């Protein structure tokens, strides 16, 4: 996965997984567990939230504010740095847009060369140093801090000439626009018809970082000769006016985006979903998807070259989605090529990952566990928290800026955080590296093969998308993965917050609702967004069988080179609902049935896009109207003891009874009672329950009295932040064959204690000014944190960049240090001799970044760990050759979520 790195990386990782004590967990302090959590909304008024934190009214304000705006911090304040928000500049690539008056006007960003030139004015250094005040990682791609920054480093090195260079941007834009009839007069751009060119920049005035940076970017655009008109709005307006509109029918050219939940492990889904059109997250179309997934093909008003590039991206993304690769090497070649074309297509221009800290008053709460994917507001952080009184009050920017429903709600970071502790994730992520672990089940990987040669028995069941019924698996069906999953830890130790027991019926009904909504286009509950999000993953589930009251066997075609990942991905593909709610979670089957009734009868829609087109509510389980409709559906079904058809089909075919009429009545009655008592329908199985929700004011959560599920201790381990400090000679001059001294330091997140660290992996790359990685050293820090970096004797004299990366298997937040060095000729020792001295010349050859990774096969019935070592080439000097042959007649609109690992990014 990374360079020739250290073969012990995943050996160590395996040992850590098997021995949770290997983690350094934060010591608990005195106090009471947090039995009540109050989320106080400040409705975007950051100054008020910061003021309340400074005065000790809230334990922390859960929105990263630049430190200079934090005022006088209270006594006991500690900082938690996390890769919380990724920022990019989004450019509209269509030939024309509509201005605010409704007139069609040409769009300069139609031209790829103009879009790419914006790379030279965004000034990533300014963004990180001046806007984020140094708390950030500049990034050309969508990766910011995770391991893939290293695996794609050869690709990004090819673009090392991208720096802040307005003159180059101006020259490029001038050549392109004048060649297409635009006029540049007295420093101003004019359309071919003589009217001034106006660029419409959507500005999020409700966020400090984006509004600050927007002022800078607008100034840069003006300096290039464009008139600029800001379009102000918040996230809600952004969703409606940008993401829910065909890009040529609305007034925006430029948008500064922010995303939460983008950090990950094996994070192929991030560039696949945000660089490609197939995933419904791009303002452009290709053979695989339409702009924003709205069903309108825009290829006739975008450059043909762009369409070809997007086809390549989506072609490769689908190969990843459907496991059409047979080795780790192939996987990383595909990732690198997707990133290459994502950069050159220049629709999303990367800025960087914010590490602006969240400040916490340690006098009001201790024991919080920062998670690099989810931040501080997680069920496991709350379970570990200790407070003086048992009540934890947290300030939040918003309670929600979208809807809460498990199919196509939870699209914004705020609603995800509000409801996070109401659900127990099926799969969650190690805080410091994002690797998935099972939370409430055990499993045994029965078989794994890169080719589909695992026979699926005909006694297994599957959902038939055409008939919309459950049936037996056809003969000769084969799979790549077979896994037995035992949900006993959850089913025997947990209940839903309404008091109902959790059974296999709840898991299977979630699968059936997801399949119905995303695979069956004739279903009354079908939704194109659900199809894009869940469809491909569900298509890879080729069968399941009930083994007993707590266990299923699941067969899938989703192969992966990491056995543990393959098993967890299969489970996550089966229990898939939750959209961006991390690791999924469950609701009781009667609630799924009631929500489906509401959608099927046109009272609400699963997704924002469907709600807009159908002129109905976006189903929201805290909206009084929608809650009322759900309640009526529950009451109707209770009156007849209704059991969903799919569950009845499963019972009939398997011979296993999941639900009877008596149990159905009890389940409906409990859900009805919960809604009547608390006024919301967010019924989960997590450690907390939502007992009050006042939009724009507060949400109150209390401990779920039925929650006794044991959770892995590994999820309560705080990450360590590493940095590398190199000591260079004057002018950075080092001889070939010499060495450079460096020291690795570490700081436990949430503390101010920094000490030298031993056993940290250090990757040292020597990069030419042209961006070629010509040499690399893979090292480990010594007892005092010291590292001696050999300068390869083969390096020719000249200028290079030394790029340093530091991490351990369980602490990966890569913020590479890049320093200029000058390599001088090798120092040689000469002796007096009558024989002429022979000079040896060294040659430098390009370096291919490879990795040797060893990953664990973890089962629930054995402590034996099987490891495999495979060297992997992560990049080539040119992108791999891709076949762009498309399947005629099939337009695949997809976004793949391997729910165990590839989270959907959440808009902020």
């Amino acid at each position: 996965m990374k360079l020739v790195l250290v073969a012990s990386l995943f050996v160590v990782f395996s040992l850590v997984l098997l021995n949770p004590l290997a983690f350094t967990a934060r010591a608990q302090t005195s106090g009471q567990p947090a039995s009540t959590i109050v989320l106080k909304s400040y409705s975007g008024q950051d100054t008020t939230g910061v003021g309340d934190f400074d005065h000790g009214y809230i334990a922390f304000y859960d929105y990263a504010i630049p430190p200079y705006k934090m005022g006088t911090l209270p006594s006991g304040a500690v900082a938690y740095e996390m890769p919380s928000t990724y920022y990019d500049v989004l450019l509209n690539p269509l030939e024309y847009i509509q201005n605010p008056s409704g007139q069609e006007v040409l769009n300069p960003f139609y031209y790829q060369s103009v879009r790419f030139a914006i790379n030279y004015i965004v000034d990533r250094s300014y963004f990180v140093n001046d806007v984020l005040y140094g708390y950030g990682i500049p990034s050309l791609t969508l990766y910011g801090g995770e391991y893939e920054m290293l695996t794609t480093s050869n690709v990004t090195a090819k673009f090392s000439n991208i720096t802040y260079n307005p003159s180059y941007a101006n020259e490029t834009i001038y050549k392109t626009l004048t060649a297409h009839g635009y006029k540049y007069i007295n420093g101003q751009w004019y359309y071919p018809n003589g009217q001034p060119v106006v660029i419409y920049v959507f500005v999020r005035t409700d966020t400090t970082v984006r509004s600050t940076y927007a002022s800078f970017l607008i100034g840069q655009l003006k300096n290039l000769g464009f008139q600029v008109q800001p379009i102000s709005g918040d996230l809600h307006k952004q969703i409606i006016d940008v993401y829910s509109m065909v890009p040529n029918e609305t007034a925006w050219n430029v948008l500064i985006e922010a995303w939460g939940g983008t950090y990950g492990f094996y994070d192929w889904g991030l560039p696949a979903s945000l660089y490609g059109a197939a995933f419904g997250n791009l303002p452009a179309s290709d053979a695989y998807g339409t702009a924003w997934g709205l069903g309108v093909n825009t290829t006739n008003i975008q450059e043909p070259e762009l369409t070809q590039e997007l086809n390549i991206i989506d072609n490769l993304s689908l190969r990843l989605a459907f496991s059409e690769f047979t080795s780790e090497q192939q996987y990383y070649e595909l990732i690198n090529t997707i990133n290459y074309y994502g950069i050159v297509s220049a629709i999303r221009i990367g800025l960087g990952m914010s590490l602006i800290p969240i400040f916490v008053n340690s006098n009001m709460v201790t024991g919080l566990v920062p998670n690099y994917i989810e931040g501080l507001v997680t069920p496991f952080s709350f379970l570990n928290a200790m407070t003086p009184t048992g009540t934890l009050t947290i300030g939040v920017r918003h309670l929600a800026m979208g809807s809460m429903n498990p199919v196509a709600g939870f699209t914004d970071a705020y609603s995800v955080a509000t409801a996070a502790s109401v659900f127990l994730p099926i799969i969650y992520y190690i805080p410091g590296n994002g690797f998935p672990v099972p939370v409430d089940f055990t499993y045994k990987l029965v078989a794994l093969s890169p080719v589909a040669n695992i026979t699926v028995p005909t006694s297994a069941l599957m959902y038939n998308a055409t008939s919309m019924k459950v049936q037996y698996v056809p003969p000769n069906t084969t799979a790549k993965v077979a896994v037995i999953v035992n949900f006993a830890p959850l089913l025997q130790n947990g209940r839903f917050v309404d008091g109902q027991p959790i059974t296999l019926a709840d898991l299977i009904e979630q699968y059936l609702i997801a399949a119905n909504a995303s695979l069956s286009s004739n279903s009354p509950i079908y939704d194109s967004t659900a199809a894009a999000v869940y469809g491909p993953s569900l298509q890879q589930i080729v069968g399941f069988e009930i083994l007993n009251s707590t266990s299923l066997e699941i067969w899938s075609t989703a192969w992966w080179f990491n056995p543990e990942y393959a098993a967890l991905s299969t489970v996550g593909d089966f229990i898939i609902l939750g959209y961006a709610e991390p690791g999924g979670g469950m609701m009781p089957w009667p609630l799924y049935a009631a929500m489906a009734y509401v959608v099927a009868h046109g009272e609400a829609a699963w997704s924002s896009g469907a709600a807009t087109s159908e002129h109905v509510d976006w189903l929201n389980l805290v909206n009084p109207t929608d809650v009322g409709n759900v309640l009526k559906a529950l009451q109707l079904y209770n009156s007849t003891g209704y059991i969903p058809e799919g569950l009845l089909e499963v019972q009939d075919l398997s011979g296993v009874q999941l639900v009877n009429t008596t149990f159905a009545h009890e389940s409906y009655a409990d859900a009805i009672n919960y809604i009547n008592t608390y006024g919301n329908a967010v019924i989960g199985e997590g450690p907390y329950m939502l007992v009050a929700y006042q939009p724009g004011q507060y949400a109150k959560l209390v401990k779920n009295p039925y929650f006794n599920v044991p959770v892995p201790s590994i999820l309560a381990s705080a990450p360590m932040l590493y940095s590398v400090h190199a000591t260079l000679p004057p002018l950075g001059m080092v001889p070939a064959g010499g060495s450079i001294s460096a020291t690795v330091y570490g700081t436990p997140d949430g503390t101010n204690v920094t000490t030298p660290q031993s056993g940290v992996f250090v990757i040292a790359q020597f990069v030419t000014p042209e961006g070629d990685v010509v040499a690399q050293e893979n090292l480990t820090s010594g007892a005092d944190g010291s590292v001696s970096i050999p300068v390869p004797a083969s390096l020719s004299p000249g200028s290079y960049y030394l790029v340093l990366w530091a991490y351990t298997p369980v602490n990966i937040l890569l913020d590479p240090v890049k320093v200029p060095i000058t390599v001088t000729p090798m120092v040689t020792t000469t002796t007096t001799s009558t024989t002429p001295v022979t000079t040896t010349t060294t040659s430098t050859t390009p370096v291919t970044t490879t990795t040797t990774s060893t990953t664990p096969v973890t089962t629930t019935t054995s402590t034996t760990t099987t490891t495999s070592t495979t060297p992997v080439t992560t990049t080539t000097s040119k992108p791999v050759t891709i076949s762009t042959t498309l399947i005629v007649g099939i337009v695949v609109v997809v976004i793949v979520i391997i729910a165990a690992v590839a989270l959907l990014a959440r808009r902020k």
Side-chain angles (χ1 to χ4, degrees):
M1 174 177 183
K2 278 41 192 188
L3 331 232
V4 166
L5 181 42
V6 249
S8 61
L9 171 59
F10 283 102
V11 173
V12 176
F13 188 32
S14 304
L15 294 175
V16 170
L17 282 174
L18 293 172
N19 178 18
L21 296 179
F23 284 86
T24 302
R26 192 177 309 280
Q28 279 288 3
T29 56
S30 59
Q32 302 178 37
S35 58
T36 300
I37 297 170
V38 177
L39 304 176
K40 182 179 180 181
S41 173
Y42 288 88
S43 300
Q45 301 300 313
D46 295 333
T47 302
T48 306
V50 168
D52 280 3
F53 173 72
D54 293 344
H55 287 92
Y57 301 144
I58 55 178
F60 63 95
Y61 185 55
D62 189 41
Y63 190 77
I65 303 293
Y68 80 97
K69 286 184 170 289
M70 290 300 297
T72 303
L73 296 175
S75 171
V78 294
Y80 289 84
E81 289 185 39
M82 296 161 286
S84 58
T85 307
Y86 175 84
Y87 293 91
D88 67 76
V89 175
L90 180 71
L91 303 175
N92 190 331
L94 300 192
E95 186 175 11
Y96 56 86
I97 64 170
Q98 288 187 5
N99 66 19
S101 300
Q103 299 173 316
E104 283 187 359
V105 293
L106 293 174
N107 175 20
F109 299 118
Y110 166 74
Y111 304 105
Q112 182 164 309
S113 55
V114 174
R115 294 196 307 274
F116 193 83
I118 299 303
N119 273 292
Y120 294 88
I121 68 166
V122 294
D123 198 347
R124 295 170 180 87
S125 295
Y126 169 83
F127 177 72
V128 169
N129 295 327
D130 292 70
V131 179
L132 301 181
Y133 283 79
Y135 290 97
I137 302 171
S139 181
L140 183 67
T141 69
L142 297 167
Y143 294 129
E146 58 264 65
Y147 219 178
E148 277 75 2
M149 281 193 76
L150 191 51
T151 61
T152 57
S153 60
N154 279 3
V155 168
T156 54
K158 296 295 181 184
F159 299 94
S160 61
N161 68 324
I162 293 180
T163 58
Y164 179 63
N165 191 340
S167 296
Y168 181 80
N170 187 56
E171 178 184 350
T172 302
I173 292 171
Y174 181 85
K175 288 180 180 178
T176 301
L177 293 186
T178 55
H180 291 89
Y182 286 73
K183 297 177 174 60
Y184 189 71
I185 303 171
N186 297 326
Q188 294 292 315
W189 281 107
Y190 294 85
Y191 295 115
N193 65 6
Q195 295 297 313
V197 175
V198 180
I199 302 297
Y200 298 96
V201 178
F202 191 100
V203 179
R204 283 286 298 278
T205 51
D206 61 330
T207 74
T208 300
V209 170
R210 273 169 281 179
S211 61
T212 300
Y213 182 72
S215 298
F216 167 81
L217 185 59
I218 286 171
Q220 297 297 304
L221 292 170
K222 288 180 178 179
N223 291 341
L224 291 174
F226 297 112
Q227 289 189 21
V228 180
Q229 181 174 328
I231 305 293
S232 300
D234 58 11
L235 177 57
H236 180 73
K237 181 176 174 65
Q238 181 177 325
I239 290 172
I240 299 302
D241 291 355
V242 178
Y243 301 128
S244 299
M245 298 283 289
V246 181
N248 63 300
E249 297 177 357
T250 186
W252 71 274
N253 302 94
V254 181
L255 166 68
I256 301 163
E257 291 184 302
W259 301 87
T262 61
Y263 180 97
F265 202 101
Y266 293 145
D267 201 2
W268 67 268
L270 182 61
S273 63
L274 295 183
Y275 279 151
F279 299 82
N281 289 323
L282 203 72
S285 305
D286 64 5
Y288 298 89
T290 59
W292 297 136
L294 298 175
V296 178
N297 191 321
T298 58
T299 54
N300 62 320
I301 52 173
Q302 61 194 45
E303 282 192 300
E305 181 183 5
L306 173 63
T307 303
Q308 293 171 5
E309 291 163 352
L310 296 183
N311 281 336
I312 292 173
I313 290 172
D314 285 332
N315 181 289
L316 300 185
S317 297
L318 292 179
R319 287 177 60 182
L320 290 169
F322 292 108
S323 300
E324 294 177 3
F325 55 95
T326 57
S327 70
E328 192 173 5
Q329 176 176 340
Q330 286 184 2
Y331 168 80
Y332 282 110
E333 288 176 347
L334 297 178
I335 290 292
N336 276 274
T337 306
I338 289 172
N339 277 278
Y340 173 83
Y341 284 105
I343 293 170
V344 300
S345 63
I347 294 177
R348 279 194 166 93
I349 306 291
L351 289 175
M353 177 69 78
S354 171
L355 301 177
I356 291 177
I358 298 291
F359 290 92
V360 174
N361 188 334
S362 62
N363 294 321
M364 299 180 70
V365 62
T366 58
L368 295 174
V369 182
N371 187 290
Y372 283 170
I373 294 179
E374 295 304 320
L376 288 174
V377 179
T378 74
F380 308 105
S381 192
F382 289 166
L383 283 172
N384 204 54
M386 301 295 283
T387 66
T389 64
T391 296
L392 173 59
T393 302
I394 301 168
V396 297
R397 205 153 192 273
H398 300 282
L399 294 175
M401 290 296 284
S403 87
M404 298 188 197
N405 81 66
V407 175
F410 297 119
T411 60
D412 64 288
Y414 307 110
S415 63
V416 167
T418 296
S421 61
V422 177
F423 302 106
L424 182 67
I426 298 296
I427 296 161
Y428 211 64
Y429 313 95
I430 295 174
N433 71 6
F435 195 85
V437 292
V439 174
D440 51 15
F441 64 89
T442 58
Y443 70 91
K444 178 181 180 181
L445 184 61
V446 178
L448 178 66
S449 171
V451 294
N453 59 11
I454 301 168
T455 300
V456 183
T458 53
S459 58
L461 307 179
M462 62 170 287
Y463 175 80
N464 185 314
T466 303
S467 66
M468 294 184 282
K469 293 182 178 297
V470 179
Q471 66 174 46
Y472 287 119
V473 169
N476 303 315
T477 299
T478 56
K480 298 179 180 180
V481 185
V483 59
I484 293 174
V485 193
N486 188 346
F487 294 97
L490 173 65
L491 275 53
Q492 295 173 1
N493 297 285
R495 283 177 176 258
F496 290 108
V497 296
D498 65 356
Q500 268 301 296
I502 305 167
T503 71
L504 289 182
D506 303 298
L507 289 93
I508 294 172
E509 178 66 3
Q510 180 185 137
Y511 161 74
L512 295 174
I513 289 289
N516 212 286
S518 59
L519 299 179
S520 299
S521 57
N522 292 326
S523 168
I525 66 168
Y526 177 82
D527 187 285
S528 61
T529 298
V533 173
Y534 308 118
S537 293
L538 287 168
Q539 288 174 24
Q540 294 187 101
I541 300 296
V542 293
F544 70 95
E545 188 167 23
I546 301 174
L547 302 181
N548 54 48
S549 61
T550 65
S551 300
L552 301 173
E553 184 164 5
I554 305 171
W555 290 267
S556 169
T557 57
W559 176 83
W560 201 264
F561 50 83
N562 179 324
E564 182 173 9
Y565 190 99
L568 296 179
S569 297
T570 297
V571 178
D573 287 348
F574 186 82
I575 307 170
I576 197 169
L577 290 184
Y579 206 87
E581 195 64 60
M586 285 193 300
M587 292 181 166
W589 67 263
L591 186 57
Y592 289 125
M595 288 186 289
Y597 178 93
V598 170
V599 171
H601 287 78
E603 296 172 332
W606 297 120
S607 69
S608 172
T612 299
S613 63
E614 296 170 17
H615 305 289
V616 296
D617 279 351
W618 182 8
L619 181 64
N620 191 346
L621 298 181
V622 294
N623 176 292
T625 299
D626 295 335
V627 172
N629 288 331
V630 168
L631 180 61
K632 291 177 184 176
L634 289 167
Q635 292 168 334
L636 174 65
Y637 283 160
N638 187 36
S639 66
T640 62
Y642 171 77
I643 299 173
E645 291 85 349
L647 286 181
L648 290 175
E649 291 162 1
V650 170
Q651 291 186 159
D652 291 343
L653 295 173
S654 68
V656 178
Q657 186 172 62
L658 299 170
V659 180
N660 58 33
T661 304
T662 300
F663 181 63
H665 283 302
E666 292 174 355
S667 300
Y668 286 121
D670 284 336
I672 290 168
N673 181 61
Y674 179 90
I675 292 174
N676 285 331
T677 302
Y678 300 112
N680 71 79
V682 186
I683 304 175
E685 85 293 28
Y688 290 84
M689 54 193 292
L690 182 65
V691 298
Y693 185 91
Q694 292 296 323
Q697 297 182 46
Y698 71 93
K700 182 179 179 181
L701 302 110
V702 301
K703 273 285 187 70
N704 174 3
Y706 309 107
F707 183 84
N708 292 294
V709 180
V711 298
S713 60
I714 197 172
L715 299 177
S717 305
M720 179 78 75
L721 305 171
Y722 295 114
S723 60
V724 185
H725 299 261
T727 303
L728 294 173
L731 303 179
M733 300 181 72
V734 294
S739 63
I740 299 170
S741 298
T743 304
V744 179
Y745 295 93
T747 305
D749 205 357
T751 75
N752 299 317
V753 180
T754 299
T755 57
Q757 296 291 309
S758 63
V760 178
F761 300 155
V762 176
I763 307 300
Q765 295 176 326
F766 295 85
V767 184
T768 67
E770 294 74 32
D772 293 319
V773 181
V774 293
Q776 178 175 297
E777 299 293 335
N778 307 291
L779 311 161
T780 303
S781 62
D784 56 354
S786 62
V787 180
S788 180
I789 303 168
V791 180
S794 60
L795 287 185
S796 299
S799 297
Y800 296 87
Y801 289 107
L802 174 64
V803 182
L804 300 173
W805 313 72
Y807 61 95
T808 62
V810 293
N811 295 292
I812 302 174
L813 184 57
L814 298 175
D815 188 1
V817 176
K818 181 180 180 180
V819 293
I821 61 172
T822 300
V823 175
T824 58
M826 182 185 299
V827 177
T828 58
T829 303
T830 59
T831 58
T832 303
S833 172
T834 57
T835 307
V837 175
T838 302
T839 303
T840 302
T841 355
T842 59
S843 62
T844 304
T845 55
V847 168
T848 301
T849 299
T850 62
T851 181
T852 302
S853 66
T854 309
T855 52
V857 179
T858 302
T859 69
T860 60
T861 57
S862 172
T863 58
T864 301
T865 300
T866 304
T867 60
S868 61
T869 303
T870 309
V872 176
T873 301
T874 63
T875 66
T876 56
S877 57
K878 293 182 180 180
V880 297
T881 303
I882 306 302
S883 170
T884 55
T885 304
L886 307 179
I887 300 175
V888 179
I890 300 178
V891 178
V892 187
V893 184
V894 300
I895 182 173
V896 178
I897 300 179
I898 293 181
V901 184
L903 286 179
L904 279 177
R906 275 97 66 181
R907 299 177 179 121
K908 282 192 169 184

